[in-house]
Amino acid sequence: MAVTPISRRFVLLMATQRSILVLIASSLLACLADQRANGQPPNDAHFRSRLNSLESNPDDHPVFLLRLLKFKGDTDIEAFQKYLNVSVARIRELGGVVIFYGKAKPIEYDFSGSKKVFGFRPCPWDRILIERYRSRKDVLRLAKSEDYRTATKALQDIVEKTVVYALNGSPWSGGKKRSPADTMTGPPEPPSPNEAVYMLNLLKFKPGGEKIYLEKYAKVVAPLIKGTHNGKVICHFKPEQVLVGDEGYDRVILVMYPSAKAFTDMLQSDVYQEVSGHRADAISLGHLYGFSNEAAELKKLEQKR
C-alpha cells in the first residue's frame, strides 16, 4: 500500500503530539517531585486529604503542630512577621497557644577525640514554631480562616522549604506520663542571660529501637542533662500525621541546655560517650537541630493586640 504525502503528514503530526504529551507529563511529574523535595504539598487536594485524616484521629487530648521553615535567600522578614502576627492571633482566638518559637542557632563542635553524634549537623531551618490546639477540629478551623489562608499564601512566596507535623503528647511506650506540652500555656521562660540552646530531636526508631533508646540511652542521658549540665527536657511528642513533607518520625523531643557549651560539654563527657552508641543502635533516622528561644518576640506580639 502506497503512503501518500497526506498520510505521512498525519503520522508525523501524531508522533509530534505524542512527544508533546510525554514532555508535558514529564514536566508535571518533575514539578510534583520538586514540590515534595521542597517540603511543599503537591496540591491543595493532597494537603486537604491529610488534614481530613487528622480530623478522623481521636480528639481526647490537645494536638500540636510543628512547623520548620527555610527562607529563600532574599527573604523579606517583614512578610514572615505579618504571617506570625496573623497566625498567633488566630491560634489564640481558637483557644490555642504557640508554646515555642525559635531561630536557628549555630553550634560549633569539634569531634576530635570523641564519637560523632548521629544526626547532629548544622541546622538547615531558619525558624521553628510549635503550636498547641485544644482539638484537631480547631486546626481545621484555622486552615479555613480567610486571613490565615491569605497570610499563608504570602508566606509561601518567601519560603524555600517547609515541613509541618501534627503531634500529640502520648506517653512513651510502657509509660503513663503524657508530655508536659499538654498543659503548657506559652513558651518556656529562657534562663537569664538568654544564652540557652534548644535542641530539637527528630527520631525514627529501628524495629525494637524504642526499647533500646529508653533503657540503654535515655535512662543514662536524662539525669546527665538535668543534673550535671543544668538542662531540661521541655516536651516530647508522638507524631500522628505529616501535613506537609514526606519524612516521618516516631518521636520528637525538645531539650533545653543553658548554653551551647553546656550541650557540647555533655556530648564530650565520658558518660555520654559511653552510651552514645546505643542511640545510633536504636534509630534509623535522627536529626538534632539547635534553636534559640524567641519567647520575648512572642510577648511583644501579644502586647500589640
Side-chain angles (χ1 to χ4, degrees):
M1 177 178 165
V3 179
T4 66
I6 293 176
S7 62
R8 283 198 195 95
R9 284 197 297 271
F10 178 75
V11 171
L12 181 60
L13 177 62
M14 292 299 292
T16 303
Q17 287 179 332
R18 279 197 298 271
S19 299
I20 292 172
L21 287 172
V22 169
L23 181 61
I24 292 172
S26 300
S27 299
L28 285 172
L29 288 172
C31 179
L32 290 177
D34 286 344
Q35 287 175 319
R36 289 191 182 97
N38 288 331
Q40 301 291 347
N43 53 56
D44 193 54
H46 183 71
F47 180 59
R48 288 282 163 191
S49 71
R50 291 187 175 188
L51 274 178
N52 291 335
S53 297
L54 176 65
E55 187 181 23
S56 66
N57 292 343
D59 219 5
D60 301 329
H61 296 282
V63 64
F64 304 83
L65 293 191
L66 165 65
R67 302 177 194 267
L68 295 170
L69 302 104
K70 172 70 176 175
F71 296 137
K72 293 177 181 175
D74 57 348
T75 292
D76 177 6
I77 296 300
E78 285 188 13
F80 174 71
Q81 289 300 128
K82 289 178 182 177
Y83 164 80
L84 203 58
N85 290 340
V86 172
S87 62
V88 169
R90 289 293 163 266
I91 291 167
R92 278 290 188 189
E93 287 175 7
L94 291 167
V97 63
V98 176
I99 63 170
F100 190 77
Y101 168 50
K103 299 176 182 178
K105 189 162 186 171
I107 300 172
E108 294 183 5
Y109 180 52
D110 182 5
F111 283 104
S112 58
S114 62
K115 298 176 185 175
K116 288 191 175 182
V117 179
F118 183 19
F120 177 43
R121 59 191 177 93
C123 183
W125 305 102
D126 292 311
R127 296 289 189 278
I128 177 176
L129 282 162
I130 304 178
E131 308 149 12
R132 179 172 65 82
Y133 298 85
R134 296 172 303 179
S135 70
R136 285 139 193 82
K137 289 183 175 63
D138 284 342
V139 175
L140 269 75
R141 291 188 186 103
L142 177 72
K144 292 175 183 177
S145 166
E146 191 60 39
D147 56 350
Y148 178 78
R149 288 170 67 90
T150 301
T152 300
K153 286 179 181 177
L155 180 67
Q156 289 173 351
D157 292 336
I158 64 170
V159 167
E160 176 185 315
K161 183 177 180 181
T162 183
V163 292
V164 183
Y165 299 97
L167 318 167
N168 63 57
S170 295
W172 287 86
S173 295
K176 295 181 179 179
K177 282 188 177 182
R178 294 186 61 82
S179 172
D182 275 1
T183 55
M184 287 175 68
T185 57
E189 196 65 33
S192 182
N194 188 10
E195 297 177 353
V197 60
Y198 291 74
M199 300 305 299
L200 179 70
N201 294 257
L202 303 172
L203 306 174
K204 188 172 184 64
F205 295 115
K206 297 175 183 176
E210 185 172 0
K211 185 176 181 181
I212 295 172
Y213 184 89
L214 290 173
E215 294 181 359
K216 295 187 176 181
Y217 175 79
K219 189 178 286 187
V220 176
V221 173
L224 188 65
I225 292 170
K226 185 177 180 180
T228 309
H229 299 280
N230 298 315
K232 181 181 180 182
V233 176
I234 301 298
C235 45
H236 58 83
F237 304 97
K238 182 177 181 179
E240 63 177 66
Q241 182 74 43
V242 181
L243 296 178
V244 178
D246 289 311
E247 195 170 77
Y249 307 103
D250 297 314
R251 275 288 159 180
V252 174
I253 312 167
L254 186 67
V255 183
M256 183 279 293
Y257 296 87
S259 66
K261 186 177 184 304
F263 170 64
T264 56
D265 282 351
M266 187 202 73
L267 295 186
Q268 291 177 315
S269 69
D270 292 339
V271 176
Y272 186 86
Q273 288 291 306
E274 191 174 330
V275 299
S276 63
H278 296 309
R279 181 178 182 273
D281 292 340
I283 59 177
S284 59
L285 183 65
H287 298 311
L288 190 57
Y289 302 136
F291 293 93
S292 63
N293 180 351
E294 301 299 324
E297 190 171 329
L298 285 177
K299 282 184 179 179
K300 288 179 183 177
L301 289 178
E302 294 287 348
Q303 291 167 358
K304 285 181 181 178
R305 291 198 303 276

